[in-house]
Amino acid sequence: MLCTTLVSTDATTLMRDAAEHCDRLCHEALAARGVFHMALSGGSTPKALFNLLAAPAYVGRFDWSRIHLWWSDERYVPLDHPDSNYCMAREALISKIAIPAGNIHATPVQLSPDGAAAQYESDIIRLLGSAAAFDLILLGMGDDGHTASLFPGAISDFPPDHLVIAHYVPKVGMQRITFTPKLINAAHHVAFLVSGKGKSAVLDRVLHGSYQPDVLPSQLISPVPGETTWLLDRDAAGANF
Ligand code: 6PG
């Protein structure tokens, strides 16, 4: 497992560093495999990155015709609902780029939660093969140590072989559909994007504390043989780095 940490001076620089990271990984994947499968996440931190990727400085650097977008987790609401992670990405990025509609793989929330998870898993296997190694999975981390929709206290009853599952998350009071650790850990690259002082204490526990993944689900993420990059701003890194 290769794990790298990059600390940017502030939130604005963090977004630029994250955009550069995506650009580099995209070019490497296109050269090696001819396609770039990237899974997006929800939250305020990725939204700032999506806005930047759609800005003139970056948009032309990506060959969107060979990029496929997926969602590492989704809220079980219609795709045009303000809480939808797809809706957020559509407004911040997708509506501003020339990407073929067939390259956008929204979670099929029109089905039942379990039906959506099963359908998404089979879509992933159809396009990426049974090894299902994403080129890049972008993740955020909550101040409780959750990532994607893997929340504290909700991990132990996951069916071990599934790549995508649906479950009700009491903390947020809704069904979520999420990639499982098995699928995330099969990726070539995982990037955590973490910003702000409020994340610093939990980040220290996730990276330097004892291994207790049911309490700190972000600790479950360790792709092998893939690479993890923690992209942090100085506030999130605190005194830890
Ligand atoms: C979601 C997420 C979630 C998010 C973290 C961090 O749908 O809410 O995918 O895992 O990435 O909660 O979110 P912030 O960047 O807003 O802190």
Side-chain angles (χ1 to χ4, degrees):
M1 176 192 85
L2 189 62
C3 183
T4 310
T5 304
L6 179 68
V7 181
S8 310
T9 45
D10 52 36
T12 306
T13 315
L14 170 64
M15 293 314 149
R16 202 193 58 214
D17 291 341
E20 294 292 333
H21 188 67
C22 291
D23 185 26
R24 184 174 62 76
L25 295 181
C26 182
H27 280 90
E28 284 175 11
L30 291 181
R33 295 178 285 279
V35 63
F36 184 60
H37 287 281
M38 172 160 72
L40 310 179
S41 67
S44 53
T45 323
K47 184 174 183 179
L49 172 63
F50 302 161
N51 278 317
L52 184 59
L53 292 178
Y58 285 97
V59 72
R61 284 164 61 172
F62 291 88
D63 179 356
W64 298 105
S65 69
R66 293 196 289 161
I67 296 172
H68 286 250
L69 300 179
W70 303 79
W71 278 264
S72 55
D73 75 319
E74 184 55 281
R75 294 105 184 257
Y76 188 64
V77 292
L79 293 176
D80 59 357
H81 190 283
D83 287 343
S84 158
N85 287 340
Y86 165 83
C87 184
M88 182 275 275
R90 190 187 59 202
E91 279 167 23
L93 176 65
I94 295 166
S95 60
K96 302 174 188 163
I97 58 179
I99 186 166
N103 292 13
I104 297 165
H105 308 279
T107 316
V109 289
Q110 69 281 7
L111 305 176
S112 68
D114 285 341
Q119 181 64 54
Y120 212 35
E121 178 167 317
S122 77
D123 291 347
I124 290 168
I125 292 171
R126 186 166 45 80
L127 267 89
L128 285 93
S130 53
F134 276 86
D135 295 297
L136 172 62
I137 298 181
L138 282 174
L139 296 174
M141 185 186 71
D143 56 12
D144 58 356
H146 84 262
T147 189
S149 283
L150 306 169
F151 281 80
I155 309 301
S156 46
D157 29 274
F158 279 10
D161 289 333
H162 287 233
L163 304 182
V164 183
I165 57 125
H167 65 155
Y168 180 76
V169 180
K171 180 166 185 182
V172 292
M174 71 162 77
Q175 289 277 351
R176 296 282 185 105
I177 293 152
T178 184
F179 283 12
T180 61
K182 178 179 176 172
L183 177 56
I184 298 172
N185 287 337
H188 294 289
H189 293 273
V190 171
F192 280 92
L193 205 54
V194 187
S195 172
K197 277 193 172 50
K199 304 279 176 75
S200 160
V202 74
L203 182 73
D204 189 33
R205 291 173 62 212
V206 166
L207 292 181
H208 306 130
S210 56
Y211 185 68
Q212 37 180 350
D214 197 47
V215 179
L216 299 168
S218 296
Q219 289 182 330
L220 289 162
I221 308 309
S222 58
V224 177
E227 295 182 20
T228 306
T229 307
W230 286 85
L231 295 156
L232 314 173
D233 63 11
R234 175 45 57 210
D235 281 348
N240 304 314
F241 296 94

Short mmCIF file of all heavy atoms in Angstrom, two decimals, residues 74-143:
data_model
loop_
_atom_site.label_atom_id
_atom_site.label_comp_id
_atom_site.label_asym_id
_atom_site.label_seq_id
_atom_site.Cartn_x
_atom_site.Cartn_y
_atom_site.Cartn_z
N GLU A 74 -24.03 7.99 -3.16
CA GLU A 74 -25.16 8.83 -3.58
C GLU A 74 -26.23 8.79 -2.51
O GLU A 74 -26.40 7.81 -1.79
CB GLU A 74 -25.70 8.32 -4.93
CG GLU A 74 -26.80 9.14 -5.55
CD GLU A 74 -26.45 10.64 -5.73
OE1 GLU A 74 -26.52 11.38 -4.74
OE2 GLU A 74 -26.13 11.04 -6.87
N ARG A 75 -26.91 9.93 -2.38
CA ARG A 75 -28.05 10.00 -1.48
C ARG A 75 -29.27 9.47 -2.24
O ARG A 75 -29.41 9.74 -3.43
CB ARG A 75 -28.28 11.44 -1.05
CG ARG A 75 -27.14 12.02 -0.17
CD ARG A 75 -26.27 12.98 -0.92
NE ARG A 75 -25.12 13.46 -0.14
CZ ARG A 75 -25.08 14.67 0.41
NH1 ARG A 75 -26.08 15.50 0.28
NH2 ARG A 75 -24.01 15.03 1.09
N TYR A 76 -30.14 8.72 -1.55
CA TYR A 76 -31.28 8.11 -2.25
C TYR A 76 -32.40 9.14 -2.40
O TYR A 76 -33.41 9.14 -1.69
CB TYR A 76 -31.76 6.87 -1.49
CG TYR A 76 -32.80 6.09 -2.27
CD1 TYR A 76 -32.49 5.50 -3.50
CD2 TYR A 76 -34.09 5.96 -1.78
CE1 TYR A 76 -33.45 4.83 -4.22
CE2 TYR A 76 -35.07 5.28 -2.50
CZ TYR A 76 -34.74 4.72 -3.72
OH TYR A 76 -35.69 4.04 -4.44
N VAL A 77 -32.17 10.06 -3.32
CA VAL A 77 -33.14 11.11 -3.67
C VAL A 77 -33.11 11.22 -5.20
O VAL A 77 -32.15 10.77 -5.82
CB VAL A 77 -32.75 12.48 -3.05
CG1 VAL A 77 -32.87 12.47 -1.54
CG2 VAL A 77 -31.34 12.91 -3.48
N PRO A 78 -34.14 11.81 -5.81
CA PRO A 78 -34.11 11.96 -7.27
C PRO A 78 -32.86 12.73 -7.72
O PRO A 78 -32.33 13.56 -6.97
CB PRO A 78 -35.39 12.75 -7.57
CG PRO A 78 -36.29 12.49 -6.40
CD PRO A 78 -35.39 12.31 -5.21
N LEU A 79 -32.44 12.47 -8.95
CA LEU A 79 -31.18 13.06 -9.43
C LEU A 79 -31.25 14.58 -9.59
O LEU A 79 -30.21 15.23 -9.73
CB LEU A 79 -30.77 12.41 -10.76
CG LEU A 79 -30.38 10.92 -10.64
CD1 LEU A 79 -30.09 10.35 -12.03
CD2 LEU A 79 -29.17 10.72 -9.73
N ASP A 80 -32.46 15.14 -9.58
CA ASP A 80 -32.55 16.61 -9.66
C ASP A 80 -32.81 17.23 -8.28
O ASP A 80 -33.10 18.42 -8.18
CB ASP A 80 -33.63 17.04 -10.66
CG ASP A 80 -35.00 16.50 -10.30
OD1 ASP A 80 -35.11 15.74 -9.30
OD2 ASP A 80 -35.97 16.82 -11.03
N HIS A 81 -32.70 16.43 -7.24
CA HIS A 81 -32.92 16.94 -5.87
C HIS A 81 -31.66 17.68 -5.41
O HIS A 81 -30.55 17.26 -5.71
CB HIS A 81 -33.21 15.73 -4.96
CG HIS A 81 -33.69 16.10 -3.60
ND1 HIS A 81 -32.84 16.57 -2.61
CD2 HIS A 81 -34.93 16.08 -3.06
CE1 HIS A 81 -33.54 16.81 -1.52
NE2 HIS A 81 -34.81 16.52 -1.75
N PRO A 82 -31.84 18.79 -4.67
CA PRO A 82 -30.65 19.53 -4.23
C PRO A 82 -29.68 18.71 -3.37
O PRO A 82 -28.50 19.04 -3.30
CB PRO A 82 -31.23 20.69 -3.40
CG PRO A 82 -32.71 20.66 -3.58
CD PRO A 82 -33.11 19.43 -4.35
N ASP A 83 -30.16 17.63 -2.74
CA ASP A 83 -29.24 16.79 -1.94
C ASP A 83 -28.47 15.78 -2.77
O ASP A 83 -27.58 15.09 -2.26
CB ASP A 83 -30.03 16.00 -0.87
CG ASP A 83 -30.50 16.90 0.26
OD1 ASP A 83 -29.96 18.02 0.38
OD2 ASP A 83 -31.41 16.48 1.00
N SER A 84 -28.84 15.64 -4.04
CA SER A 84 -28.22 14.60 -4.88
C SER A 84 -26.76 14.96 -5.20
O SER A 84 -26.47 16.08 -5.65
CB SER A 84 -29.02 14.47 -6.17
OG SER A 84 -28.24 13.89 -7.19
N ASN A 85 -25.87 14.00 -5.01
CA ASN A 85 -24.46 14.24 -5.36
C ASN A 85 -24.31 14.40 -6.88
O ASN A 85 -23.48 15.18 -7.35
CB ASN A 85 -23.59 13.09 -4.85
CG ASN A 85 -23.42 13.14 -3.34
OD1 ASN A 85 -23.63 14.19 -2.72
ND2 ASN A 85 -23.04 12.02 -2.74
N TYR A 86 -25.12 13.65 -7.63
CA TYR A 86 -25.10 13.82 -9.09
C TYR A 86 -25.51 15.24 -9.46
O TYR A 86 -24.87 15.90 -10.31
CB TYR A 86 -26.04 12.81 -9.75
CG TYR A 86 -26.34 13.15 -11.18
CD1 TYR A 86 -25.47 12.80 -12.20
CD2 TYR A 86 -27.49 13.88 -11.52
CE1 TYR A 86 -25.72 13.16 -13.51
CE2 TYR A 86 -27.75 14.23 -12.83
CZ TYR A 86 -26.87 13.86 -13.82
OH TYR A 86 -27.12 14.23 -15.11
N CYS A 87 -26.57 15.74 -8.81
CA CYS A 87 -27.09 17.08 -9.13
C CYS A 87 -26.01 18.13 -8.87
O CYS A 87 -25.80 19.05 -9.67
CB CYS A 87 -28.34 17.33 -8.28
SG CYS A 87 -29.13 18.89 -8.65
N MET A 88 -25.31 17.97 -7.77
CA MET A 88 -24.23 18.92 -7.44
C MET A 88 -23.15 18.89 -8.53
O MET A 88 -22.71 19.93 -9.02
CB MET A 88 -23.65 18.57 -6.06
CG MET A 88 -22.56 19.49 -5.58
SD MET A 88 -20.94 19.06 -6.18
CE MET A 88 -20.44 17.85 -4.96
N ALA A 89 -22.74 17.67 -8.92
CA ALA A 89 -21.69 17.56 -9.95
C ALA A 89 -22.18 18.06 -11.29
O ALA A 89 -21.42 18.64 -12.07
CB ALA A 89 -21.23 16.11 -10.05
N ARG A 90 -23.47 17.88 -11.58
CA ARG A 90 -24.00 18.37 -12.85
C ARG A 90 -23.91 19.89 -12.90
O ARG A 90 -23.46 20.46 -13.90
CB ARG A 90 -25.45 17.91 -13.03
CG ARG A 90 -25.96 18.19 -14.45
CD ARG A 90 -27.43 17.91 -14.60
NE ARG A 90 -28.20 18.72 -13.67
CZ ARG A 90 -29.43 18.42 -13.26
NH1 ARG A 90 -30.02 17.32 -13.67
NH2 ARG A 90 -30.05 19.20 -12.41
N GLU A 91 -24.31 20.52 -11.79
CA GLU A 91 -24.28 22.00 -11.79
C GLU A 91 -22.85 22.54 -11.82
O GLU A 91 -22.56 23.49 -12.53
CB GLU A 91 -25.01 22.52 -10.55
CG GLU A 91 -26.51 22.53 -10.77
CD GLU A 91 -27.30 22.73 -9.48
OE1 GLU A 91 -26.73 23.29 -8.52
OE2 GLU A 91 -28.47 22.33 -9.46
N ALA A 92 -21.97 21.91 -11.02
CA ALA A 92 -20.62 22.46 -10.89
C ALA A 92 -19.71 22.10 -12.06
O ALA A 92 -18.81 22.85 -12.41
CB ALA A 92 -19.99 21.97 -9.57
N LEU A 93 -19.95 20.93 -12.69
CA LEU A 93 -18.99 20.44 -13.68
C LEU A 93 -19.65 19.97 -14.99
O LEU A 93 -19.36 20.50 -16.06
CB LEU A 93 -18.18 19.28 -13.06
CG LEU A 93 -17.18 18.57 -13.96
CD1 LEU A 93 -16.05 19.51 -14.36
CD2 LEU A 93 -16.60 17.33 -13.25
N ILE A 94 -20.53 18.99 -14.88
CA ILE A 94 -21.00 18.29 -16.09
C ILE A 94 -21.68 19.22 -17.08
O ILE A 94 -21.49 19.11 -18.30
CB ILE A 94 -21.93 17.12 -15.68
CG1 ILE A 94 -21.13 16.08 -14.88
CG2 ILE A 94 -22.58 16.47 -16.89
CD1 ILE A 94 -21.97 15.06 -14.14
N SER A 95 -22.45 20.18 -16.55
CA SER A 95 -23.18 21.09 -17.45
C SER A 95 -22.23 22.03 -18.19
O SER A 95 -22.63 22.70 -19.13
CB SER A 95 -24.18 21.92 -16.65
OG SER A 95 -23.49 22.68 -15.67
N LYS A 96 -20.96 22.08 -17.77
CA LYS A 96 -20.02 23.04 -18.37
C LYS A 96 -18.96 22.38 -19.26
O LYS A 96 -18.06 23.05 -19.74
CB LYS A 96 -19.31 23.81 -17.24
CG LYS A 96 -20.28 24.54 -16.32
CD LYS A 96 -19.52 25.14 -15.14
CE LYS A 96 -20.48 25.71 -14.12
NZ LYS A 96 -19.81 25.93 -12.83
N ILE A 97 -19.03 21.04 -19.41
CA ILE A 97 -17.98 20.37 -20.18
C ILE A 97 -18.60 19.58 -21.33
O ILE A 97 -19.77 19.21 -21.28
CB ILE A 97 -17.14 19.42 -19.28
CG1 ILE A 97 -18.03 18.36 -18.61
CG2 ILE A 97 -16.37 20.23 -18.24
CD1 ILE A 97 -17.28 17.37 -17.74
N ALA A 98 -17.75 19.30 -22.34
CA ALA A 98 -18.23 18.54 -23.50
C ALA A 98 -17.95 17.07 -23.25
O ALA A 98 -16.96 16.51 -23.71
CB ALA A 98 -17.51 19.02 -24.76
N ILE A 99 -18.82 16.45 -22.46
CA ILE A 99 -18.64 15.02 -22.16
C ILE A 99 -19.83 14.26 -22.74
O ILE A 99 -20.98 14.69 -22.59
CB ILE A 99 -18.49 14.79 -20.63
CG1 ILE A 99 -18.17 13.33 -20.32
CG2 ILE A 99 -19.71 15.26 -19.85
CD1 ILE A 99 -17.67 13.09 -18.89
N PRO A 100 -19.58 13.15 -23.44
CA PRO A 100 -20.71 12.39 -24.00
C PRO A 100 -21.63 11.89 -22.89
O PRO A 100 -21.17 11.47 -21.82
CB PRO A 100 -20.02 11.21 -24.69
CG PRO A 100 -18.59 11.63 -24.89
CD PRO A 100 -18.27 12.58 -23.77
N ALA A 101 -22.94 11.94 -23.15
CA ALA A 101 -23.91 11.51 -22.13
C ALA A 101 -23.65 10.07 -21.69
O ALA A 101 -23.84 9.72 -20.53
CB ALA A 101 -25.32 11.66 -22.69
N GLY A 102 -23.18 9.25 -22.63
CA GLY A 102 -22.92 7.83 -22.31
C GLY A 102 -21.75 7.63 -21.36
O GLY A 102 -21.53 6.52 -20.89
N ASN A 103 -20.98 8.69 -21.10
CA ASN A 103 -19.83 8.57 -20.18
C ASN A 103 -20.22 8.94 -18.75
O ASN A 103 -19.36 8.95 -17.86
CB ASN A 103 -18.69 9.50 -20.60
CG ASN A 103 -18.04 9.08 -21.90
OD1 ASN A 103 -18.58 8.24 -22.61
ND2 ASN A 103 -16.89 9.66 -22.21
N ILE A 104 -21.48 9.30 -18.56
CA ILE A 104 -21.92 9.74 -17.22
C ILE A 104 -22.77 8.63 -16.62
O ILE A 104 -23.82 8.28 -17.16
CB ILE A 104 -22.69 11.06 -17.32
CG1 ILE A 104 -21.75 12.12 -17.86
CG2 ILE A 104 -23.24 11.48 -15.97
CD1 ILE A 104 -22.43 13.34 -18.34
N HIS A 105 -22.30 8.10 -15.52
CA HIS A 105 -22.95 6.93 -14.92
C HIS A 105 -23.52 7.29 -13.57
O HIS A 105 -22.91 7.03 -12.52
CB HIS A 105 -21.93 5.79 -14.81
CG HIS A 105 -21.23 5.50 -16.10
ND1 HIS A 105 -21.79 4.74 -17.11
CD2 HIS A 105 -20.03 5.94 -16.59
CE1 HIS A 105 -20.96 4.70 -18.14
NE2 HIS A 105 -19.89 5.42 -17.85
N ALA A 106 -24.69 7.94 -13.61
CA ALA A 106 -25.35 8.31 -12.36
C ALA A 106 -25.88 7.04 -11.68
O ALA A 106 -26.23 6.07 -12.34
CB ALA A 106 -26.50 9.27 -12.65
N THR A 107 -25.94 7.08 -10.37
CA THR A 107 -26.51 5.96 -9.61
C THR A 107 -28.00 5.85 -9.99
O THR A 107 -28.71 6.86 -9.98
CB THR A 107 -26.37 6.24 -8.11
OG1 THR A 107 -25.05 6.75 -7.87
CG2 THR A 107 -26.57 4.99 -7.29
N PRO A 108 -28.47 4.63 -10.31
CA PRO A 108 -29.87 4.52 -10.80
C PRO A 108 -30.89 4.57 -9.65
O PRO A 108 -31.53 3.59 -9.31
CB PRO A 108 -29.88 3.15 -11.50
CG PRO A 108 -28.77 2.37 -10.88
CD PRO A 108 -27.74 3.35 -10.40
N VAL A 109 -31.05 5.78 -9.10
CA VAL A 109 -31.91 5.96 -7.93
C VAL A 109 -33.41 5.84 -8.25
O VAL A 109 -34.24 5.90 -7.35
CB VAL A 109 -31.64 7.33 -7.24
CG1 VAL A 109 -30.31 7.34 -6.55
CG2 VAL A 109 -31.75 8.46 -8.24
N GLN A 110 -33.73 5.66 -9.54
CA GLN A 110 -35.14 5.43 -9.87
C GLN A 110 -35.57 4.03 -9.44
O GLN A 110 -36.77 3.75 -9.35
CB GLN A 110 -35.39 5.66 -11.38
CG GLN A 110 -34.79 4.65 -12.33
CD GLN A 110 -33.28 4.87 -12.58
OE1 GLN A 110 -32.64 5.70 -11.94
NE2 GLN A 110 -32.72 4.09 -13.51
N LEU A 111 -34.60 3.15 -9.17
CA LEU A 111 -34.92 1.80 -8.68
C LEU A 111 -35.05 1.82 -7.16
O LEU A 111 -34.79 2.84 -6.53
CB LEU A 111 -33.79 0.84 -9.11
CG LEU A 111 -33.47 0.79 -10.61
CD1 LEU A 111 -32.27 -0.11 -10.88
CD2 LEU A 111 -34.69 0.31 -11.40
N SER A 112 -35.38 0.67 -6.57
CA SER A 112 -35.38 0.58 -5.10
C SER A 112 -33.93 0.73 -4.64
O SER A 112 -33.00 0.53 -5.43
CB SER A 112 -35.90 -0.79 -4.67
OG SER A 112 -34.95 -1.78 -5.06
N PRO A 113 -33.68 1.04 -3.36
CA PRO A 113 -32.29 1.18 -2.93
C PRO A 113 -31.43 -0.06 -3.24
O PRO A 113 -30.36 0.06 -3.83
CB PRO A 113 -32.42 1.41 -1.41
CG PRO A 113 -33.76 2.05 -1.25
CD PRO A 113 -34.64 1.43 -2.31
N ASP A 114 -31.94 -1.26 -2.89
CA ASP A 114 -31.14 -2.47 -3.16
C ASP A 114 -31.03 -2.72 -4.66
O ASP A 114 -29.98 -3.16 -5.15
CB ASP A 114 -31.78 -3.69 -2.48
CG ASP A 114 -31.52 -3.68 -0.98
OD1 ASP A 114 -30.58 -2.98 -0.53
OD2 ASP A 114 -32.27 -4.37 -0.25
N GLY A 115 -32.10 -2.42 -5.39
CA GLY A 115 -32.08 -2.59 -6.84
C GLY A 115 -31.06 -1.65 -7.47
O GLY A 115 -30.33 -2.02 -8.40
N ALA A 116 -30.99 -0.41 -6.97
CA ALA A 116 -30.04 0.57 -7.50
C ALA A 116 -28.60 0.11 -7.24
O ALA A 116 -27.74 0.20 -8.13
CB ALA A 116 -30.27 1.93 -6.85
N ALA A 117 -28.36 -0.41 -6.03
CA ALA A 117 -27.00 -0.87 -5.70
C ALA A 117 -26.61 -2.04 -6.61
O ALA A 117 -25.50 -2.06 -7.17
CB ALA A 117 -26.93 -1.27 -4.23
N ALA A 118 -27.53 -2.99 -6.79
CA ALA A 118 -27.23 -4.17 -7.62
C ALA A 118 -27.01 -3.77 -9.08
O ALA A 118 -26.08 -4.24 -9.75
CB ALA A 118 -28.36 -5.19 -7.51
N GLN A 119 -27.85 -2.84 -9.57
CA GLN A 119 -27.72 -2.40 -10.96
C GLN A 119 -26.40 -1.64 -11.17
O GLN A 119 -25.70 -1.84 -12.16
CB GLN A 119 -28.90 -1.50 -11.33
CG GLN A 119 -28.88 -0.99 -12.76
CD GLN A 119 -29.00 -2.13 -13.76
OE1 GLN A 119 -29.93 -2.92 -13.69
NE2 GLN A 119 -28.04 -2.22 -14.68
N TYR A 120 -26.06 -0.79 -10.21
CA TYR A 120 -24.82 -0.01 -10.33
C TYR A 120 -23.61 -0.95 -10.31
O TYR A 120 -22.68 -0.78 -11.10
CB TYR A 120 -24.74 0.99 -9.17
CG TYR A 120 -24.02 2.29 -9.52
CD1 TYR A 120 -24.12 2.87 -10.78
CD2 TYR A 120 -23.26 2.96 -8.56
CE1 TYR A 120 -23.48 4.06 -11.09
CE2 TYR A 120 -22.63 4.17 -8.85
CZ TYR A 120 -22.74 4.70 -10.12
OH TYR A 120 -22.10 5.90 -10.42
N GLU A 121 -23.67 -1.95 -9.42
CA GLU A 121 -22.57 -2.93 -9.36
C GLU A 121 -22.43 -3.64 -10.71
O GLU A 121 -21.32 -3.79 -11.22
CB GLU A 121 -22.83 -3.93 -8.23
CG GLU A 121 -21.77 -5.00 -8.14
CD GLU A 121 -21.84 -5.82 -6.85
OE1 GLU A 121 -22.04 -5.24 -5.77
OE2 GLU A 121 -21.67 -7.04 -6.94
N SER A 122 -23.55 -4.03 -11.31
CA SER A 122 -23.41 -4.74 -12.59
C SER A 122 -22.98 -3.79 -13.71
O SER A 122 -22.22 -4.17 -14.60
CB SER A 122 -24.65 -5.58 -12.92
OG SER A 122 -25.67 -4.77 -13.39
N ASP A 123 -23.37 -2.51 -13.64
CA ASP A 123 -22.87 -1.52 -14.63
C ASP A 123 -21.35 -1.38 -14.51
O ASP A 123 -20.63 -1.26 -15.51
CB ASP A 123 -23.50 -0.15 -14.39
CG ASP A 123 -24.99 -0.12 -14.71
OD1 ASP A 123 -25.50 -1.06 -15.34
OD2 ASP A 123 -25.65 0.86 -14.30
N ILE A 124 -20.89 -1.33 -13.28
CA ILE A 124 -19.45 -1.18 -13.04
C ILE A 124 -18.69 -2.38 -13.60
O ILE A 124 -17.70 -2.22 -14.33
CB ILE A 124 -19.18 -0.99 -11.52
CG1 ILE A 124 -19.68 0.38 -11.07
CG2 ILE A 124 -17.69 -1.16 -11.20
CD1 ILE A 124 -19.75 0.58 -9.56
N ILE A 125 -19.19 -3.58 -13.32
CA ILE A 125 -18.49 -4.79 -13.79
C ILE A 125 -18.53 -4.86 -15.32
O ILE A 125 -17.55 -5.22 -15.97
CB ILE A 125 -19.11 -6.05 -13.14
CG1 ILE A 125 -18.78 -6.04 -11.64
CG2 ILE A 125 -18.60 -7.32 -13.82
CD1 ILE A 125 -19.48 -7.10 -10.83
N ARG A 126 -19.63 -4.41 -15.90
CA ARG A 126 -19.76 -4.45 -17.38
C ARG A 126 -18.70 -3.54 -18.03
O ARG A 126 -18.07 -3.90 -19.01
CB ARG A 126 -21.17 -4.00 -17.78
CG ARG A 126 -21.50 -4.11 -19.25
CD ARG A 126 -23.00 -3.98 -19.50
NE ARG A 126 -23.61 -2.88 -18.75
CZ ARG A 126 -23.56 -1.60 -19.10
NH1 ARG A 126 -22.95 -1.25 -20.21
NH2 ARG A 126 -24.14 -0.67 -18.35
N LEU A 127 -18.47 -2.36 -17.46
CA LEU A 127 -17.52 -1.43 -18.09
C LEU A 127 -16.08 -1.60 -17.60
O LEU A 127 -15.14 -1.35 -18.36
CB LEU A 127 -17.97 0.02 -17.89
CG LEU A 127 -18.80 0.49 -19.06
CD1 LEU A 127 -20.27 0.20 -18.84
CD2 LEU A 127 -18.60 1.96 -19.32
N LEU A 128 -15.90 -1.99 -16.36
CA LEU A 128 -14.54 -2.06 -15.83
C LEU A 128 -14.03 -3.50 -15.67
O LEU A 128 -12.88 -3.70 -15.33
CB LEU A 128 -14.44 -1.35 -14.48
CG LEU A 128 -14.43 0.17 -14.54
CD1 LEU A 128 -15.82 0.73 -14.38
CD2 LEU A 128 -13.53 0.75 -13.48
N GLY A 129 -14.90 -4.48 -15.91
CA GLY A 129 -14.50 -5.87 -15.73
C GLY A 129 -14.67 -6.30 -14.28
O GLY A 129 -14.93 -5.48 -13.40
N SER A 130 -14.50 -7.61 -14.03
CA SER A 130 -14.80 -8.10 -12.69
C SER A 130 -13.79 -7.61 -11.66
O SER A 130 -14.10 -7.53 -10.46
CB SER A 130 -14.90 -9.62 -12.67
OG SER A 130 -13.74 -10.15 -13.23
N ALA A 131 -12.58 -7.22 -12.10
CA ALA A 131 -11.61 -6.70 -11.13
C ALA A 131 -11.99 -5.27 -10.71
O ALA A 131 -11.64 -4.81 -9.62
CB ALA A 131 -10.20 -6.71 -11.70
N ALA A 132 -12.76 -4.59 -11.56
CA ALA A 132 -13.34 -3.27 -11.27
C ALA A 132 -12.37 -2.30 -10.59
O ALA A 132 -12.64 -1.79 -9.50
CB ALA A 132 -14.61 -3.43 -10.43
N ALA A 133 -11.25 -2.03 -11.27
CA ALA A 133 -10.25 -1.11 -10.71
C ALA A 133 -10.48 0.29 -11.29
O ALA A 133 -10.10 0.57 -12.44
CB ALA A 133 -8.85 -1.60 -11.03
N PHE A 134 -11.07 1.17 -10.52
CA PHE A 134 -11.23 2.57 -10.96
C PHE A 134 -9.86 3.21 -11.10
O PHE A 134 -8.93 2.91 -10.36
CB PHE A 134 -12.08 3.35 -9.96
CG PHE A 134 -13.55 3.19 -10.19
CD1 PHE A 134 -14.24 2.11 -9.64
CD2 PHE A 134 -14.25 4.08 -10.99
CE1 PHE A 134 -15.59 1.93 -9.89
CE2 PHE A 134 -15.60 3.91 -11.25
CZ PHE A 134 -16.27 2.83 -10.69
N ASP A 135 -9.75 4.12 -12.07
CA ASP A 135 -8.48 4.85 -12.22
C ASP A 135 -8.31 5.83 -11.07
O ASP A 135 -7.19 6.01 -10.58
CB ASP A 135 -8.46 5.57 -13.57
CG ASP A 135 -8.48 4.56 -14.69
OD1 ASP A 135 -7.53 3.78 -14.79
OD2 ASP A 135 -9.50 4.51 -15.43
N LEU A 136 -9.39 6.47 -10.66
CA LEU A 136 -9.32 7.40 -9.52
C LEU A 136 -10.67 7.41 -8.81
O LEU A 136 -11.71 7.59 -9.45
CB LEU A 136 -8.97 8.82 -10.02
CG LEU A 136 -9.03 9.93 -8.97
CD1 LEU A 136 -8.03 9.69 -7.83
CD2 LEU A 136 -8.75 11.30 -9.62
N ILE A 137 -10.62 7.25 -7.51
CA ILE A 137 -11.82 7.45 -6.68
C ILE A 137 -11.54 8.65 -5.77
O ILE A 137 -10.59 8.63 -4.98
CB ILE A 137 -12.17 6.20 -5.85
CG1 ILE A 137 -12.47 5.02 -6.79
CG2 ILE A 137 -13.36 6.48 -4.93
CD1 ILE A 137 -12.86 3.72 -6.08
N LEU A 138 -12.33 9.69 -5.94
CA LEU A 138 -12.20 10.89 -5.11
C LEU A 138 -13.09 10.71 -3.88
O LEU A 138 -14.27 10.39 -4.02
CB LEU A 138 -12.72 12.12 -5.86
CG LEU A 138 -11.84 12.76 -6.92
CD1 LEU A 138 -12.64 13.86 -7.61
CD2 LEU A 138 -10.58 13.32 -6.30
N LEU A 139 -12.54 10.95 -2.73
CA LEU A 139 -13.32 10.80 -1.49
C LEU A 139 -13.19 12.04 -0.63
O LEU A 139 -12.16 12.72 -0.67
CB LEU A 139 -12.81 9.60 -0.68
CG LEU A 139 -12.97 8.20 -1.31
CD1 LEU A 139 -12.28 7.16 -0.44
CD2 LEU A 139 -14.45 7.85 -1.49
N GLY A 140 -14.21 12.30 0.17
CA GLY A 140 -14.11 13.28 1.23
C GLY A 140 -14.02 12.54 2.55
O GLY A 140 -14.08 11.30 2.59
N MET A 141 -13.88 13.26 3.62
CA MET A 141 -13.94 12.62 4.94
C MET A 141 -14.75 13.53 5.87
O MET A 141 -14.48 14.73 5.95
CB MET A 141 -12.55 12.41 5.52
CG MET A 141 -12.60 11.65 6.84
SD MET A 141 -10.99 11.53 7.64
CE MET A 141 -10.77 13.21 8.15
N GLY A 142 -15.73 12.95 6.54
CA GLY A 142 -16.53 13.74 7.47
C GLY A 142 -15.79 13.93 8.80
O GLY A 142 -14.82 13.22 9.09
N ASP A 143 -16.27 14.85 9.62
CA ASP A 143 -15.58 15.10 10.89
C ASP A 143 -15.82 13.99 11.92
O ASP A 143 -15.30 14.03 13.02
CB ASP A 143 -15.91 16.49 11.46
CG ASP A 143 -17.40 16.69 11.62
OD1 ASP A 143 -18.15 15.70 11.52
OD2 ASP A 143 -17.81 17.84 11.86
#
